[in-house]
Amino acid sequence: LLHAYWIIPIILFKPALLPEGHGSIESLRFFSFAFFENSLSLIHPNWPENIFGKVSFMKPEFLIIPILAFGSLLFIKKAKSRIEQYSNRTILFFAFLGLLGAFLAKGTNEPLGKIFEWLFGIIPGFGLFRDPTKFYSLVAFSYSVLIPFSLFKIAELSKKKSLKKLIFIFFIIFWLLSLRQFPFIDVFRIREVPHSYVKLKDVIVSEKRFFRTLWIPSWQRYGYFSDLNPAIGRSEIFKESSPSGIIRELNSEGALEKLQNLSVKYLIVPEDLEGEIFLDDRKYSEQVYQKVVSNVSKIPYLKKIDSYGKIQVFEIPFSKDHFWSFNKNLKTSYEFINPTRYRLNIKNAGINDRIVFAEGFDQSWIAKNPNLHISSSEFNKLNSIILPKAGNYILEIYYEPQKWVNVGLVISSLTLISLILFFARCYKKR
């Protein structure tokens, strides 16, 4: 019930939960970075370098963690009271949870990797776990109970108070040593948006009209985007992901028309300040960057207009608006209300004129007024509305699943309030 705001629309409309290609078994195998020894030892496969896809060597000291966790099973004994029965059940539950989490977190890797593939195929929504390391949370939750229990029981074996304290001190020292690289990882460096990206953002914002920017080969984390000026560069429109493959597609027949129809005005080659885009053997390569710039400059329909630092900006001629038509006499104006709702004003429409809405096709987009109700029809993988008669129109364009999101939000909110009141009442009674 807490999750009703997204579960209800998914049940009713069955949207694609994952981008094209991300729901395949090949994708699942690619994202299965962790091995069983990694997940069981609670060490992420990319630790500590945090380079996507680069699996580090196993660090043997981390094996102490599962030994301590599952050592708790050695302290389960025949229960003489209800409290001991409850304690035994709790430890067995968390041991099972830890093993289950470790098994799932390794994804399709051995042992029994086919089971994960089978679960991926038969359980609705399991594709959301195509990156199996999400299941590390179950392992961490399990060990947060099992390890303190083991330490407590080991300490109980000693009659000396000082020795009991030493056990906990030694564990804390070990835990800190396992995290010794933590303060030096790059995630804690304070970053400021570079001046070159600020200047580019100011230029985009100053135009005050809808258009998209296309980032080649991919969007950079400092790149500006908004509802008025969305950014493309996360594998949305290209089949290829490599720079050479993308440039090959940009040079293909129909590429210019495709970009114009998508309302793409600027093509941008980013400045790779973080060293994560133009890579050769996982390291930034100036040669790769220069090669991309050179190849993009040779695309015949692009016109270079400016550069901001090492950011190169090219213009795509005659890019279309968010709503457009092939009828030159037809005039459109629209008001953006929110990402799921627009108000569209049409003048001089002809019979069966097509209004193209430059967003990825989804038949759940509806155009309506008191006399009309039209579902979106596909045009080159975009949304479009075919007008049944000539004349002027005022239409509301809205995304139908959103109303069920709103219904779900009410259910989720009422559930949350009820739970808070319930637990407050339980606490008060206790």
Side-chain angles (χ1 to χ4, degrees):
L1 291 175
L2 278 172
H3 290 266
Y5 66 93
W6 65 268
I7 290 175
I8 291 174
I10 281 177
I11 291 171
L12 291 177
F13 293 92
K14 298 179 176 60
L17 295 176
L18 299 172
E20 190 176 343
H22 283 66
S24 64
I25 293 294
E26 289 72 24
S27 170
L28 184 67
R29 290 170 182 159
F30 173 75
F31 283 111
S32 296
F33 298 126
F35 295 98
F36 190 56
E37 60 266 28
N38 299 134
S39 58
L40 195 68
S41 301
L42 202 61
I43 178 172
H44 194 281
N46 299 143
W47 173 265
E49 291 177 276
N50 197 30
I51 297 173
F52 179 78
K54 185 178 181 181
V55 179
S56 303
F57 288 111
M58 181 62 195
K59 297 170 177 57
E61 67 269 22
F62 278 81
L63 291 171
I64 295 171
I65 294 171
I67 289 170
L68 278 172
F70 293 104
S72 59
L73 296 172
L74 299 173
F75 296 102
I76 290 178
K77 54 186 179 182
K78 190 175 180 180
K80 295 177 182 177
S81 65
R82 288 185 65 188
I83 291 174
E84 287 180 345
Q85 286 177 355
Y86 176 75
S87 176
N88 289 349
R89 286 200 303 269
T90 302
I91 296 306
L92 286 170
F93 166 76
F94 279 102
F96 171 76
L97 185 69
L99 281 173
L100 177 66
F103 178 79
L104 294 174
K106 70 175 181 54
T108 62
N109 290 319
E110 293 299 334
L112 302 176
K114 291 291 181 184
I115 291 178
F116 196 87
E117 292 183 17
W118 177 71
L119 294 171
F120 185 80
I122 67 161
I123 298 178
F126 204 80
L128 295 170
F129 298 95
R130 70 192 185 283
D131 175 2
T133 54
K134 292 180 176 71
F135 288 106
Y136 267 74
S137 56
L138 297 183
V139 184
F141 184 44
S142 165
Y143 288 6
S144 69
V145 173
L146 297 180
I147 291 174
F149 181 81
S150 291
L151 293 173
F152 182 75
K153 288 296 183 181
I154 291 168
E156 274 190 339
L157 296 175
S158 172
K159 294 179 181 179
K160 292 184 178 179
K161 213 171 185 179
S162 58
L163 196 58
K164 288 182 179 181
K165 288 180 180 178
L166 275 175
I167 289 166
F168 290 98
I169 290 168
F170 279 134
F171 177 76
I172 290 166
I173 292 170
F174 158 74
W175 194 257
L176 291 173
L177 284 172
S178 72
L179 298 172
R180 60 190 178 275
Q181 290 155 307
F182 187 66
F184 307 106
I185 59 177
D186 195 47
V187 73
F188 293 105
R189 178 164 60 87
I190 295 171
R191 293 170 169 84
E192 291 185 7
V193 178
H195 183 61
S196 56
Y197 280 94
V198 174
K199 284 181 70 177
L200 176 61
K201 183 265 294 183
D202 291 341
V203 169
I204 292 171
V205 170
S206 67
E207 299 204 25
K208 296 181 181 177
R209 75 173 188 87
F210 180 86
F211 60 83
R212 289 186 169 90
T213 55
L214 171 61
W215 296 70
I216 301 297
S218 63
W219 177 77
Q220 207 275 347
R221 66 173 74 188
Y222 299 120
Y224 175 77
F225 65 92
S226 67
D227 290 328
L228 188 61
N229 303 117
I232 303 175
R234 304 171 184 85
S235 305
E236 299 97 333
I237 62 171
F238 297 117
K239 295 176 182 176
E240 301 276 354
S241 57
S242 65
S244 58
I246 291 171
I247 289 164
R248 197 161 46 246
E249 286 191 52
L250 286 170
N251 277 303
S252 64
E253 186 180 351
L256 173 59
E257 184 183 3
K258 181 180 181 180
L259 297 178
Q260 289 170 333
N261 291 349
L262 279 168
S263 309
V264 177
K265 184 178 180 183
Y266 295 125
L267 187 149
I268 300 169
V269 180
E271 181 176 5
D272 189 8
L273 293 160
E274 300 294 327
E276 55 195 5
I277 298 173
F278 302 104
L279 304 179
D280 183 14
D281 193 25
R282 298 192 178 95
K283 294 179 182 178
Y284 173 76
S285 169
E286 179 68 17
Q287 188 177 354
V288 173
Y289 164 78
Q290 292 295 346
K291 187 177 180 181
V292 171
V293 172
S294 173
N295 288 334
V296 169
S297 301
K298 294 173 185 174
I299 297 173
Y301 56 82
L302 293 178
K303 176 187 174 185
K304 183 172 180 181
I305 60 165
D306 217 333
S307 59
Y308 305 93
K310 292 179 73 175
I311 303 171
Q312 309 297 323
V313 182
F314 301 82
E315 187 173 18
I316 293 157
F318 308 114
S319 67
K320 295 183 170 68
D321 204 350
H322 210 175
F323 293 88
W324 56 272
S325 172
F326 291 102
N327 183 349
K328 302 299 181 185
N329 296 320
L330 185 148
K331 305 295 180 188
T332 61
S333 61
Y334 61 92
E335 178 190 355
F336 171 86
I337 299 169
N338 61 51
T340 64
R341 194 173 293 270
Y342 299 80
R343 189 170 289 110
L344 180 61
N345 195 339
I346 303 168
K347 292 182 180 179
N348 305 326
I351 297 175
N352 293 329
D353 269 351
R354 186 190 293 271
I355 305 292
V356 178
F357 175 36
E359 296 288 347
F361 172 68
D362 189 324
Q363 64 181 7
S364 297
W365 281 101
I366 305 294
K368 72 167 187 175
N369 64 22
N371 306 313
L372 205 62
H373 189 281
I374 308 171
S375 294
S376 175
S377 56
E378 187 174 0
F379 172 77
N380 290 344
K381 298 187 178 180
L382 300 176
N383 295 291
S384 73
I385 303 155
I386 298 174
L387 303 173
K389 59 183 181 179
N392 301 332
Y393 292 83
I394 296 176
L395 296 173
E396 183 182 12
I397 312 292
Y398 71 97
Y399 190 59
E400 197 173 20
Q402 184 62 32
K403 69 181 181 184
W404 293 102
V405 174
N406 297 336
V407 169
L409 281 170
V410 172
I411 296 170
S412 299
S413 301
L414 290 174
T415 304
L416 180 62
I417 292 166
S418 301
L419 285 170
I420 291 169
L421 293 174
F422 172 76
F423 286 122
R425 186 169 175 269
C426 289
Y427 179 77
K428 190 177 179 182
K429 281 179 73 176
R430 190 175 67 179

